[in-house]
Amino acid sequence: MRTLDCRGAHPGRHAPPTLEELRREVSRIAGRDIAMTQPRWLDRFSDVTRLARTFRAGRVFLAGDAAHVHFPIGGQGLSTGVLDALNLGWKLALAVRGRAGAGLLDTYDAERRPSAQRVIDNTQAQLALMRPGPELDALRTVFRSLLLTDQESGRRLGDLISAQDTVLPAPTGDGGPAAGTFLANLALTTEAGDTDVIELLQEGRPLLLLLGDGASVTSTGRVPGAGR
């Protein structure tokens, strides 16, 4: 059970939380007295926000909460940390094996720090919308109208919160407009028959899609001539 009060800094925020404090807050929100006994774990969080100046210093790499801390909303801290590890893991593996190209490890900071900054920006924006007060009512009204009437705005916000909007920089500038973006689960037609991206990834191995000459994504998401 979690409660949230966006009215301002809690006067006892540096003290360990107590069951009575949680009970009072839950009772206030529920509008009636709520009995509580035998808590297993109590903790408190805040909107403290920090971002490391760099995610790499020589042989030291920062990831997850060591690199970025922000208001915990939507599980974005966990997702961002997992993506940090995913980005860094294979690069370290190549470096350990002596197969990493010059500057490969430097791309970790170049790719992941901007992503963490976007998470910090959007969590701060969400928190601003959650703060009570009539001065923000107009902003909430406009924002609500956009979400209800503009599907594209809703999709973009969903991609932002899920990190699906991540675009990694292309060092060579090649690859087309989709380079560095998340690949959707496209339906594919191959020599072996119909399949899709998720099915081809079931083996847990790197996957290379070689699209046939003139191949393009149709309105049904099918890519003619795609091969494995």
Side-chain angles (χ1 to χ4, degrees):
M1 182 178 293
R2 180 179 68 183
T3 67
L4 183 63
D5 189 342
C6 295
R7 290 175 295 180
H10 179 52
R13 60 188 179 278
H14 299 299
T18 65
L19 179 62
E20 177 58 23
E21 179 185 355
L22 177 63
R23 189 198 67 77
R24 287 197 308 266
E25 188 67 7
V26 171
S27 298
R28 177 185 69 83
I29 295 171
R32 62 185 180 87
D33 190 59
I34 302 293
M36 295 184 179
T37 59
Q38 299 179 330
R40 291 192 177 186
W41 177 69
L42 293 170
D43 198 8
R44 69 170 84 250
F45 62 88
S46 73
D47 61 346
V48 61
T49 300
R50 299 287 186 272
L51 178 64
R53 283 190 289 268
T54 179
F55 286 11
R56 181 193 182 186
R59 294 170 60 86
V60 177
F61 295 85
L62 300 180
D65 289 351
H68 40 77
V69 178
H70 52 80
F71 182 59
I73 188 169
Q76 293 182 75
L78 173 61
S79 298
T80 309
V82 169
L83 290 174
D84 289 345
L86 181 65
N87 186 291
L88 181 59
W90 68 271
K91 296 173 182 177
L92 284 176
L94 289 179
V96 168
R97 297 176 182 178
R99 298 173 57 189
L104 178 62
L105 292 179
D106 289 332
T107 64
Y108 170 64
D109 176 82
E111 293 174 355
R112 292 307 304 158
R113 193 174 185 279
S115 295
Q117 181 65 68
R118 286 200 305 276
V119 172
I120 285 175
D121 290 344
N122 90 67
T123 53
Q124 288 182 323
Q126 291 183 67
L127 182 61
L129 288 168
M130 296 167 68
R131 294 193 188 282
E135 68 278 4
L136 290 175
D137 287 345
L139 177 60
R140 281 188 279 267
T141 298
V142 171
F143 211 81
R144 185 182 302 112
S145 176
L146 288 173
L147 291 177
L148 291 176
T149 60
D150 187 349
Q151 292 185 352
E152 179 63 18
S153 294
R155 185 189 65 79
R156 291 185 63 183
L157 284 173
D159 288 347
L160 177 66
I161 293 173
S162 66
Q164 295 291 311
D165 71 329
T166 300
V167 180
L168 301 181
T172 63
D174 299 329
T181 64
F182 276 81
L183 178 63
N185 182 32
L186 300 174
L188 304 171
T189 297
T190 72
E191 294 179 355
D194 292 343
T195 184
D196 59 29
V197 173
I198 289 180
E199 181 65 28
L200 295 178
L201 289 171
Q202 289 298 313
E203 296 181 9
R205 299 173 61 85
L207 174 69
L208 175 64
L209 294 177
L210 300 177
L211 304 184
D213 293 338
S216 61
V217 180
T218 68
S219 59
T220 61
R222 188 169 300 282
V223 182
R228 191 172 182 180

